[in-house]
Every structure is written in C-alpha cells, then in structure tokens.
Coordinates of all heavy atoms in Angstrom, one line a residue:
M1 N 16.6 5.3 34.5 CA 15.3 5.9 34.6 C 14.7 6.2 33.2 O 13.5 5.9 32.9 CB 15.3 7.1 35.5 CG 13.9 7.7 35.6 SD 12.8 6.6 36.5 CE 11.4 7.6 36.6
V2 N 15.5 6.8 32.3 CA 15.0 7.1 31.0 C 14.7 5.8 30.2 O 13.7 5.8 29.5 CB 16.1 7.9 30.2 CG1 15.7 8.1 28.8 CG2 16.3 9.3 30.9
S3 N 15.4 4.8 30.4 CA 15.1 3.5 29.7 C 13.8 2.9 30.2 O 13.1 2.3 29.3 CB 16.3 2.5 29.9 OG 16.5 2.2 31.3
V4 N 13.5 3.1 31.4 CA 12.2 2.6 31.9 C 11.0 3.4 31.2 O 10.0 2.8 30.7 CB 12.1 2.8 33.4 CG1 10.7 2.4 33.9 CG2 13.1 1.9 34.1
V5 N 11.2 4.7 31.1 CA 10.1 5.5 30.5 C 10.0 5.2 29.0 O 8.9 5.0 28.5 CB 10.5 7.0 30.7 CG1 9.5 7.9 29.9 CG2 10.4 7.4 32.1
L6 N 11.2 5.0 28.3 CA 11.2 4.6 26.9 C 10.5 3.3 26.7 O 9.8 3.1 25.7 CB 12.6 4.6 26.4 CG 13.3 5.9 26.3 CD1 14.7 5.8 25.8 CD2 12.5 7.0 25.5
T7 N 10.7 2.3 27.6 CA 10.1 1.0 27.5 C 8.6 1.2 27.7 O 7.8 0.5 26.9 CB 10.7 0.1 28.6 OG1 12.1 0.0 28.4 CG2 10.0 -1.3 28.5
I8 N 8.1 2.0 28.6 CA 6.7 2.2 28.8 C 6.1 2.8 27.5 O 5.0 2.4 27.1 CB 6.4 3.1 30.0 CG1 6.8 2.3 31.3 CG2 5.0 3.6 30.1 CD1 6.8 3.1 32.5
F9 N 6.8 3.8 27.0 CA 6.3 4.4 25.7 C 6.2 3.4 24.6 O 5.2 3.4 23.8 CB 7.1 5.6 25.3 CG 7.0 6.8 26.2 CD1 7.9 7.9 26.1 CD2 5.9 7.0 27.0 CE1 7.7 9.0 26.9 CE2 5.7 8.1 27.8 CZ 6.6 9.1 27.7
L10 N 7.3 2.6 24.5 CA 7.3 1.6 23.4 C 6.2 0.6 23.5 O 5.5 0.3 22.6 CB 8.6 0.9 23.4 CG 8.8 -0.3 22.4 CD1 8.7 0.3 21.0 CD2 10.1 -1.0 22.6
L11 N 6.0 0.1 24.8 CA 4.9 -0.8 25.0 C 3.5 -0.2 24.7 O 2.7 -0.8 24.1 CB 4.9 -1.3 26.5 CG 6.0 -2.3 26.8 CD1 6.0 -2.6 28.3 CD2 5.8 -3.6 26.0
H12 N 3.4 1.0 25.1 CA 2.1 1.7 24.8 C 1.8 1.8 23.3 O 0.7 1.6 22.9 CB 2.1 3.1 25.5 CG 0.9 3.9 25.2 ND1 -0.4 3.5 25.6 CD2 0.7 5.0 24.5 CE1 -1.3 4.4 25.2 NE2 -0.6 5.3 24.5
V13 N 2.8 2.3 22.6 CA 2.7 2.4 21.2 C 2.4 1.0 20.5 O 1.5 0.9 19.7 CB 3.9 3.0 20.5 CG1 3.9 2.9 19.0 CG2 4.1 4.5 20.9
L14 N 3.1 0.0 20.9 CA 2.8 -1.3 20.4 C 1.4 -1.8 20.7 O 0.7 -2.4 19.9 CB 3.9 -2.3 20.9 CG 5.3 -2.2 20.4 CD1 6.2 -3.1 21.1 CD2 5.3 -2.4 18.9
F15 N 1.0 -1.5 21.9 CA -0.4 -1.9 22.3 C -1.4 -1.2 21.5 O -2.5 -1.8 21.1 CB -0.6 -1.7 23.8 CG 0.2 -2.6 24.7 CD1 0.4 -2.2 26.1 CD2 0.7 -3.8 24.3 CE1 1.1 -3.0 26.9 CE2 1.4 -4.6 25.1 CZ 1.6 -4.2 26.4
V16 N -1.2 0.1 21.2 CA -2.1 0.8 20.4 C -2.1 0.3 18.9 O -3.1 0.1 18.3 CB -1.8 2.3 20.4 CG1 -2.6 3.1 19.4 CG2 -2.1 2.9 21.8
V17 N -0.9 0.1 18.4 CA -0.8 -0.3 17.0 C -1.4 -1.7 16.8 O -2.1 -1.9 15.8 CB 0.7 -0.3 16.6 CG1 0.9 -1.1 15.3 CG2 1.3 1.1 16.5
F18 N -1.2 -2.6 17.7 CA -1.8 -3.9 17.6 C -3.1 -4.1 18.3 O -3.6 -5.2 18.4 CB -0.8 -4.9 18.1 CG 0.5 -5.0 17.2 CD1 1.7 -4.6 17.7 CD2 0.4 -5.5 16.0 CE1 2.8 -4.6 16.9 CE2 1.5 -5.6 15.1 CZ 2.7 -5.1 15.6
D19 N -3.7 -3.0 18.7 CA -5.1 -3.0 19.3 C -5.2 -3.9 20.4 O -6.1 -4.8 20.5 CB -6.1 -3.3 18.2 CG -7.5 -2.9 18.6 OD1 -7.6 -1.9 19.4 OD2 -8.5 -3.5 18.1
A20 N -4.3 -3.8 21.4 CA -4.4 -4.7 22.6 C -5.6 -4.5 23.4 O -6.2 -3.4 23.4 CB -3.1 -4.4 23.5
N21 N -6.0 -5.5 24.1 CA -7.2 -5.4 25.0 C -7.0 -4.5 26.1 O -6.2 -4.7 27.0 CB -7.5 -6.9 25.5 CG -8.7 -6.9 26.4 OD1 -9.4 -6.0 26.5 ND2 -8.9 -8.1 27.0
Q22 N -7.7 -3.4 26.2 CA -7.6 -2.4 27.2 C -8.1 -3.0 28.6 O -7.8 -2.4 29.6 CB -8.4 -1.1 26.9 CG -7.8 -0.3 25.8 CD -6.5 0.3 26.1 OE1 -6.3 0.7 27.3 NE2 -5.5 0.4 25.2
G23 N -8.9 -4.0 28.5 CA -9.3 -4.7 29.7 C -8.3 -5.4 30.5 O -8.4 -5.8 31.7
N24 N -7.2 -5.8 29.8 CA -6.1 -6.5 30.4 C -5.4 -5.5 31.4 O -5.1 -4.4 31.1 CB -5.1 -6.9 29.3 CG -3.9 -7.7 29.8 OD1 -3.1 -7.1 30.6 ND2 -3.8 -8.9 29.4
E25 N -5.1 -6.0 32.5 CA -4.6 -5.2 33.6 C -3.2 -4.6 33.3 O -2.9 -3.5 33.5 CB -4.5 -6.0 34.9 CG -4.5 -5.0 36.1 CD -5.0 -5.7 37.3 OE1 -6.0 -6.5 37.3 OE2 -4.5 -5.4 38.4
F26 N -2.3 -5.5 32.7 CA -1.0 -5.0 32.3 C -1.1 -3.9 31.3 O -0.4 -2.9 31.4 CB -0.1 -6.2 31.8 CG 1.3 -5.8 31.4 CD1 2.2 -5.4 32.4 CD2 1.6 -5.7 30.1 CE1 3.5 -5.0 32.0 CE2 2.9 -5.4 29.7 CZ 3.8 -5.0 30.7
V27 N -1.9 -4.1 30.3 CA -2.1 -3.1 29.2 C -2.6 -1.8 29.8 O -2.2 -0.7 29.5 CB -3.0 -3.6 28.1 CG1 -3.3 -2.5 27.1 CG2 -2.4 -4.8 27.4
S28 N -3.5 -1.9 30.7 CA -4.1 -0.8 31.4 C -3.1 0.0 32.2 O -3.1 1.2 32.2 CB -5.3 -1.2 32.3 OG -5.9 -0.1 33.0
V29 N -2.3 -0.7 33.0 CA -1.2 0.0 33.8 C -0.2 0.7 32.9 O 0.2 1.8 33.1 CB -0.5 -1.1 34.7 CG1 0.8 -0.5 35.3 CG2 -1.4 -1.6 35.7
V30 N 0.2 0.0 31.8 CA 1.1 0.7 30.8 C 0.5 1.9 30.2 O 1.1 3.0 30.1 CB 1.5 -0.3 29.7 CG1 2.3 0.4 28.6 CG2 2.4 -1.4 30.3
Y31 N -0.8 1.9 29.9 CA -1.5 3.0 29.3 C -1.6 4.2 30.3 O -1.3 5.3 30.0 CB -3.0 2.6 29.0 CG -3.8 3.7 28.5 CD1 -3.7 4.2 27.2 CD2 -4.7 4.3 29.4 CE1 -4.5 5.2 26.8 CE2 -5.6 5.4 28.9 CZ -5.4 5.8 27.6 OH -6.2 6.9 27.2
I32 N -1.9 3.9 31.6 CA -1.9 4.9 32.6 C -0.6 5.6 32.8 O -0.4 6.8 32.9 CB -2.5 4.4 33.9 CG1 -4.0 4.0 33.7 CG2 -2.3 5.3 35.1 CD1 -4.6 3.2 34.9
L33 N 0.5 4.7 32.9 CA 1.8 5.2 33.1 C 2.3 6.1 31.9 O 2.9 7.2 32.1 CB 2.8 4.1 33.3 CG 2.7 3.3 34.7 CD1 3.7 2.1 34.6 CD2 3.1 4.3 35.8
A34 N 2.0 5.6 30.7 CA 2.4 6.4 29.5 C 1.7 7.7 29.5 O 2.3 8.8 29.2 CB 2.1 5.6 28.3
K35 N 0.4 7.8 29.8 CA -0.4 9.0 29.8 C 0.2 10.0 30.9 O 0.2 11.2 30.6 CB -1.9 8.7 30.1 CG -2.6 8.2 29.0 CD -2.7 9.2 27.9 CE -3.9 8.9 27.0 NZ -4.0 9.9 25.9
T36 N 0.6 9.4 32.0 CA 1.2 10.3 33.0 C 2.6 10.8 32.7 O 2.9 12.0 32.9 CB 1.3 9.5 34.3 OG1 0.0 9.0 34.7 CG2 1.8 10.3 35.5
L37 N 3.4 10.0 32.1 CA 4.8 10.4 31.8 C 4.9 11.2 30.5 O 6.0 11.8 30.3 CB 5.6 9.1 31.7 CG 5.8 8.3 32.9 CD1 6.5 7.0 32.7 CD2 6.6 9.1 34.0
V38 N 3.9 11.3 29.6 CA 4.0 12.0 28.4 C 4.1 13.5 28.6 O 4.6 14.2 27.7 CB 2.9 11.6 27.4 CG1 1.6 12.3 27.7 CG2 3.3 11.8 26.0
L39 N 3.7 14.0 29.7 CA 3.9 15.4 30.1 C 3.4 16.4 29.1 O 4.1 17.3 28.7 CB 5.3 15.7 30.5 CG 5.9 14.8 31.6 CD1 7.4 15.1 31.8 CD2 5.2 15.1 32.9
G40 N 2.2 16.2 28.6 CA 1.6 17.2 27.7 C 2.0 17.1 26.3 O 1.5 17.8 25.4
L41 N 2.8 16.1 25.9 CA 3.3 15.9 24.5 C 2.4 14.9 23.8 O 2.7 14.5 22.7 CB 4.7 15.5 24.5 CG 5.7 16.5 25.0 CD1 7.1 15.9 25.1 CD2 5.7 17.7 24.1
G42 N 1.3 14.4 24.5 CA 0.5 13.4 23.9 C -0.5 13.9 22.9 O -1.1 13.1 22.2
D43 N -0.6 15.2 22.7 CA -1.5 15.7 21.6 C -0.9 16.8 20.8 O -1.6 17.7 20.3 CB -2.8 16.1 22.3 CG -2.6 17.2 23.3 OD1 -1.4 17.6 23.6 OD2 -3.6 17.7 23.9
V44 N 0.4 16.7 20.6 CA 1.1 17.7 19.8 C 0.7 17.6 18.3 O 0.4 18.5 17.6 CB 2.6 17.6 19.9 CG1 3.4 18.5 19.0 CG2 3.1 17.9 21.4
F45 N 0.7 16.3 17.8 CA 0.4 16.0 16.5 C -1.1 15.5 16.5 O -1.4 14.6 17.3 CB 1.3 15.0 15.9 CG 2.7 15.4 15.8 CD1 3.7 14.9 16.7 CD2 3.1 16.4 14.9 CE1 5.0 15.3 16.6 CE2 4.5 16.8 14.8 CZ 5.4 16.3 15.7
T46 N -1.9 15.9 15.6 CA -3.3 15.4 15.5 C -3.7 15.1 14.1 O -4.5 15.7 13.5 CB -4.3 16.5 16.1 OG1 -4.1 17.7 15.3 CG2 -4.1 16.8 17.6
P47 N -3.0 14.0 13.6 CA -3.4 13.6 12.2 C -4.8 12.9 12.3 O -5.3 12.6 13.3 CB -2.3 12.6 11.9 CG -1.8 12.1 13.2 CD -2.0 13.2 14.2
D48 N -5.3 12.7 11.1 CA -6.6 12.0 11.0 C -6.6 10.6 11.5 O -7.6 10.1 12.1 CB -7.1 12.0 9.5 CG -7.5 13.4 9.1 OD1 -7.9 14.2 9.9 OD2 -7.4 13.6 7.8
D49 N -5.4 9.9 11.4 CA -5.3 8.5 11.8 C -4.8 8.6 13.3 O -3.7 9.1 13.6 CB -4.2 7.8 11.0 CG -4.0 6.4 11.4 OD1 -4.8 5.9 12.2 OD2 -3.1 5.7 10.9
A50 N -5.6 8.1 14.2 CA -5.3 8.2 15.7 C -4.1 7.4 16.0 O -3.3 7.8 16.9 CB -6.5 7.7 16.5
V51 N -3.9 6.2 15.3 CA -2.7 5.4 15.6 C -1.5 6.1 15.3 O -0.5 6.1 16.0 CB -2.8 4.0 14.9 CG1 -1.6 3.2 15.1 CG2 -4.0 3.3 15.4
L52 N -1.4 6.8 14.1 CA -0.3 7.6 13.7 C 0.0 8.7 14.7 O 1.1 9.0 15.0 CB -0.5 8.2 12.3 CG 0.6 9.0 11.7 CD1 1.9 8.3 11.6 CD2 0.2 9.6 10.4
G53 N -1.1 9.3 15.2 CA -0.9 10.3 16.2 C -0.2 9.8 17.5 O 0.6 10.5 18.0
V54 N -0.6 8.6 17.9 CA 0.0 8.0 19.1 C 1.5 7.8 18.8 O 2.4 8.1 19.6 CB -0.7 6.7 19.5 CG1 0.1 6.0 20.6 CG2 -2.1 7.1 20.0
V55 N 1.8 7.2 17.6 CA 3.2 6.9 17.3 C 4.0 8.2 17.3 O 5.1 8.3 17.8 CB 3.3 6.2 15.9 CG1 4.7 6.1 15.5 CG2 2.6 4.8 16.0
L56 N 3.5 9.3 16.6 CA 4.2 10.5 16.5 C 4.4 11.2 17.9 O 5.5 11.6 18.2 CB 3.5 11.5 15.5 CG 3.5 11.1 14.1 CD1 2.7 12.0 13.3 CD2 4.9 11.1 13.5
N57 N 3.3 11.3 18.6 CA 3.4 12.0 19.9 C 4.3 11.3 20.9 O 5.1 11.9 21.6 CB 2.0 12.2 20.5 CG 1.2 13.2 19.6 OD1 1.7 14.2 19.2 ND2 -0.1 12.9 19.4
Y58 N 4.1 10.0 21.0 CA 4.9 9.2 22.0 C 6.4 9.1 21.5 O 7.3 9.0 22.3 CB 4.3 7.9 22.4 CG 3.1 8.1 23.3 CD1 1.9 8.4 22.8 CD2 3.3 8.1 24.7 CE1 0.8 8.7 23.7 CE2 2.3 8.3 25.6 CZ 1.0 8.6 25.1 OH 0.0 8.9 25.9
G59 N 6.6 9.1 20.2 CA 7.9 9.1 19.7 C 8.6 10.5 20.0 O 9.8 10.5 20.4
L60 N 7.9 11.6 19.9 CA 8.4 12.9 20.2 C 8.7 12.9 21.7 O 9.8 13.4 22.1 CB 7.4 14.0 19.9 CG 7.8 15.4 20.3 CD1 9.1 15.9 19.7 CD2 6.6 16.3 20.1
A61 N 7.8 12.4 22.6 CA 8.1 12.4 24.0 C 9.3 11.6 24.3 O 10.1 12.0 25.2 CB 6.8 11.9 24.7
A62 N 9.5 10.4 23.7 CA 10.6 9.6 23.9 C 11.9 10.4 23.5 O 12.9 10.3 24.3 CB 10.5 8.3 23.1
L63 N 11.9 11.1 22.4 CA 13.0 11.8 22.0 C 13.4 12.9 23.0 O 14.6 13.1 23.3 CB 12.8 12.4 20.6 CG 13.9 13.3 20.0 CD1 15.1 12.4 19.7 CD2 13.4 13.9 18.7
V64 N 12.4 13.6 23.5 CA 12.6 14.6 24.5 C 13.2 14.0 25.8 O 14.2 14.6 26.3 CB 11.3 15.4 24.9 CG1 11.4 16.2 26.1 CG2 10.8 16.2 23.7
Y65 N 12.7 12.9 26.2 CA 13.3 12.2 27.4 C 14.7 11.8 27.2 O 15.6 12.0 28.0 CB 12.5 11.0 27.8 CG 11.4 11.2 28.8 CD1 10.1 11.5 28.3 CD2 11.6 11.2 30.1 CE1 9.1 11.8 29.2 CE2 10.6 11.4 31.0 CZ 9.3 11.7 30.6 OH 8.3 12.0 31.5
V66 N 15.1 11.3 26.0 CA 16.4 10.9 25.7 C 17.4 12.1 25.7 O 18.4 12.1 26.3 CB 16.5 10.2 24.3 CG1 18.0 10.0 23.8 CG2 15.9 8.8 24.4
V67 N 17.0 13.2 25.0 CA 17.8 14.4 25.0 C 18.0 15.0 26.4 O 19.2 15.3 26.8 CB 17.2 15.5 24.0 CG1 17.9 16.8 24.2 CG2 17.2 15.0 22.6
I68 N 17.0 15.1 27.1 CA 17.1 15.7 28.5 C 17.9 14.8 29.4 O 18.7 15.2 30.2 CB 15.7 16.0 29.1 CG1 15.1 17.2 28.3 CG2 15.8 16.3 30.6 CD1 13.7 17.5 28.7
G69 N 17.7 13.4 29.2 CA 18.4 12.5 30.0 C 19.9 12.5 29.7 O 20.7 12.5 30.6
Q70 N 20.3 12.7 28.4 CA 21.7 12.8 28.1 C 22.3 14.1 28.6 O 23.4 14.1 29.0 CB 21.8 12.7 26.5 CG 21.5 11.4 25.9 CD 22.5 10.3 26.5 OE1 23.7 10.6 26.6 NE2 22.0 9.2 26.8
L71 N 21.5 15.2 28.6 CA 22.0 16.4 29.1 C 22.3 16.3 30.6 O 23.3 16.8 31.1 CB 21.1 17.6 28.8 CG 20.9 18.0 27.4 CD1 19.8 19.0 27.2 CD2 22.3 18.6 26.9
I72 N 21.4 15.7 31.3 CA 21.6 15.5 32.8 C 22.8 14.6 33.0 O 23.6 14.9 33.9 CB 20.3 14.9 33.4 CG1 19.2 15.9 33.3 CG2 20.6 14.4 34.8 CD1 17.8 15.4 33.7
V73 N 22.9 13.5 32.3 CA 24.1 12.6 32.5 C 25.4 13.4 32.2 O 26.4 13.3 33.0 CB 24.0 11.4 31.6 CG1 25.3 10.6 31.5 CG2 22.8 10.5 32.1
K74 N 25.4 14.1 31.1 CA 26.7 14.9 30.8 C 27.0 15.9 31.9 O 28.1 16.1 32.2 CB 26.5 15.6 29.5 CG 26.7 14.6 28.3 CD 26.6 15.3 27.0 CE 26.7 14.3 25.9 NZ 26.6 15.0 24.5
S75 N 26.0 16.6 32.4 CA 26.2 17.6 33.4 C 26.7 17.0 34.8 O 27.4 17.6 35.5 CB 25.0 18.5 33.7 OG 24.0 17.7 34.3
L76 N 26.2 15.8 35.1 CA 26.6 15.1 36.3 C 28.0 14.5 36.2 O 28.7 14.4 37.2 CB 25.6 14.0 36.6 CG 24.2 14.4 37.1 CD1 23.3 13.2 37.3 CD2 24.3 15.2 38.3
R77 N 28.5 14.2 35.0 CA 29.8 13.7 34.8 C 30.9 14.7 34.9 O 32.0 14.4 35.1 CB 29.9 13.0 33.4 CG 29.2 11.7 33.4 CD 29.5 11.0 32.1 NE 28.7 9.7 32.1 CZ 28.5 9.0 31.0 NH1 29.0 9.4 29.8 NH2 27.8 7.9 31.1
R78 N 30.5 16.0 34.8 CA 31.5 17.1 34.9 C 31.9 17.4 36.3 O 31.4 17.3 37.3 CB 31.0 18.3 34.2 CG 30.9 18.0 32.7 CD 30.5 19.2 32.0 NE 30.4 18.9 30.6 CZ 30.3 19.7 29.6 NH1 30.4 21.0 29.9 NH2 30.2 19.3 28.4

C-alpha cells in the first residue's frame, strides 16, 4: 500500500516539474489522489518557487508514509 502512495506522489511531482497537461485525465486523477493522500502535508513548506514547494511537501509526505509504514510492518511481524 505504501508503494502505491509513493508512486502516486512521485507521478504527481513529476507531472508538476514537467508541467504536464492538467486536462489529461490520467494526470488529473493522479493530482486528485495525491491531494487526498497528502493528509495536510501539502503546504508545510511555502517557498517562492511553487514547484520547489511541491517537491518538498510531497517528499516530506512520502517520508512520513515510509516511516509509518515501516513501523506498522515491524509491529505486525512481532
């Protein structure tokens, strides 16, 4: 599950960095999913460069998902 969320975040960041067409249905779905899954971490960093903000915020959200996912996996293995 964590890998799916990370993939969505990665795609979203790539689409923002490369200025993908928001009218494209796949890009739009990824954008909506990423906005939903970011859980309030989408505006932690607010640099002047909006693209850098997306990279930092979604990178932070991905890190949080990885850490929490690893903690859950470790607790289930015990």
Side-chain angles (χ1 to χ4, degrees):
M1 180 64 180
V2 172
S3 60
V4 173
V5 174
L6 295 178
T7 302
I8 291 169
F9 287 165
L10 176 65
L11 286 173
H12 176 64
V13 168
L14 289 174
F15 291 159
V16 169
V17 168
F18 293 111
D19 197 27
N21 178 8
Q22 291 291 325
N24 181 298
E25 201 156 323
F26 180 69
V27 174
S28 178
V29 167
V30 169
Y31 176 80
I32 291 168
L33 288 173
K35 284 292 200 182
T36 303
L37 295 171
V38 77
L39 300 176
L41 296 173
D43 58 358
V44 173
F45 300 105
T46 56
D48 290 334
D49 183 10
V51 173
L52 178 61
V54 169
V55 172
L56 292 173
N57 289 318
Y58 283 85
L60 174 64
L63 181 64
V64 168
Y65 269 93
V66 167
V67 169
I68 291 174
Q70 289 298 318
L71 291 173
I72 291 171
V73 167
K74 285 182 182 180
S75 68
L76 291 175
R77 286 186 180 165
R78 293 183 183 196

